[in-house]
Amino acid sequence: MAHATSLFAVLYGVWLALSGHYTLYFLLVGAVCVALVVAIAMRMDVVDREGHPMHLTWRVPGYWAWLMWEIMTSAVDVSRRVLAPRLRIDPVLERLPTSQKTDIGRAIYANSITLTPGTVSTDLRDGMVQVHALTSGAIERLRQGEMDARVTKLEGES
Amino acid sequence: MVQDIVSWLLIAGGAFFVMVGGVGLVRMPDFFTRLHPASVTDTMGAGLLLTGFMVQAGASLVTVKLVLILVFLLFTSPTAAHALAHAALLDGLKPWTGKKDGAP
Amino acid sequence: MFMAATAALLVTIALALARAFAGPSVYDRVLAVNSIGTKTVLLIAALGFLAGRPDFLDISLLYALINFVGTIAVLRFIRQSRAQEGN
C-alpha cells in the first residue's frame, strides 16, 4: 500500500508539473486519471519493491552525483579520442562479474555502464555483465570495481 | 548578466559535445564503436544543453519540464543503447578489434 | 546563443543522417535514427526558447517518449523478421 501511495504522489506531481492549470476541474481530473493509472499498475502487479523501488530514494542522489562526475570525465576522454587526428582506440568485448543481489541492482549497474560514454553493456545474465568498451583502459577501470561496489552499496541488501 | 554568461557557457559546451557525437558517429569504424560517441551526445550533450536552458529559464514550470526531459533521456538512452547492442550481438555482428589480418 | 545551439544540432543531425544512409548494417541505421531522435528533442526545446514559446517543451517531452518506444519497436520488428527468415 505504501508503494501505491508513493506512486500516486509521484504521478500526481508529474501531472501538476505538466498541466500548469490549477483550477478545481483540472485537479480533480488529474486525481482521477492518476488513480486509474495506479489501479492498472496494481492489476499488472508491478507496484512492489522492484517496480517502484522507493527504498532507494535516499541513497540515489549521492550515487547520481558520483555517476555524473564519472560521465563527465569519460565523455571528455571519448571526445578527445573522437577528435584526435589518428583514431587511438582498441575496442574490447568482455564479461565481468557483478556483485549485486537483486535484479534491480544488476539493472542499475548495467544501465550505469551504458550511460558512461566509452562502455556499453551488451548482455546481462548468470550474474555476469558483458561489456563492450572503446578502450582497454575503460574496461580496466570497470574491472577495478568501484562502480560495482557503489551500486551494491546503493542497493543496500546485505 | 551572470546568469546569461553561465547559460551561454553551458549551451556552448553542450553544442560542442553534441557535435563530437555526430563526428564520432561518422568516423568510427564499426557499429559497436559508434555506440560510444552516440552516448556522449545523449549524456553530456543533452545534459549541458538542457542545463543551459534551465539556467536561462530560471525558477519556473519551464525548468521543471526541462528536468523531466533530461531525466527521461537519461533513463531511456542507455536502455535503447543496450537493446541495440544486444540485438546486434545476437544477430552475429562481430565487433571490430583493429587487427588488420586474421580477425573475421 | 539558442541560434548557435540550433545550428550545432542541425549539423549533427546531418552527420547522423549521413550515417543512416551509409549503414552498412541495419543496426547502424537504427542507431543513427535514434540519435537523430534525441537531437530532435533538443532541437524542439531550443526552438521553443528561440520562438519564446515554452509550450514547445511539451512536444519535446512527447517526442522523447515516442523516440524511445519507436527504437524498441523497430528492434523487435527486426528480430521477428530475422527469426522468420531463419526457419
Side-chain angles (χ1 to χ4, degrees), chain C residues 1-2 6 9-10 18 36 39 50 58 62 66 77 84 86:
Chain C
M1 69 184 146
F2 292 116
T6 315
L9 285 165
L10 285 174
I36 290 175
K39 268 144 240 172
L50 207 55
D58 297 325
L62 193 66
I66 295 174
F77 173 70
Q84 272 163 7

Side-chain angles (χ1 to χ4, degrees), chain A residues 95-114:
Chain A
R95 282 186 171 275
L96 296 173
T98 61
S99 64
Q100 288 76 36
K101 297 222 163 42
T102 57
D103 282 345
I104 182 161
R106 279 186 283 271
I108 292 173
Y109 184 38
N111 256 13
S112 305
I113 290 175
T114 313

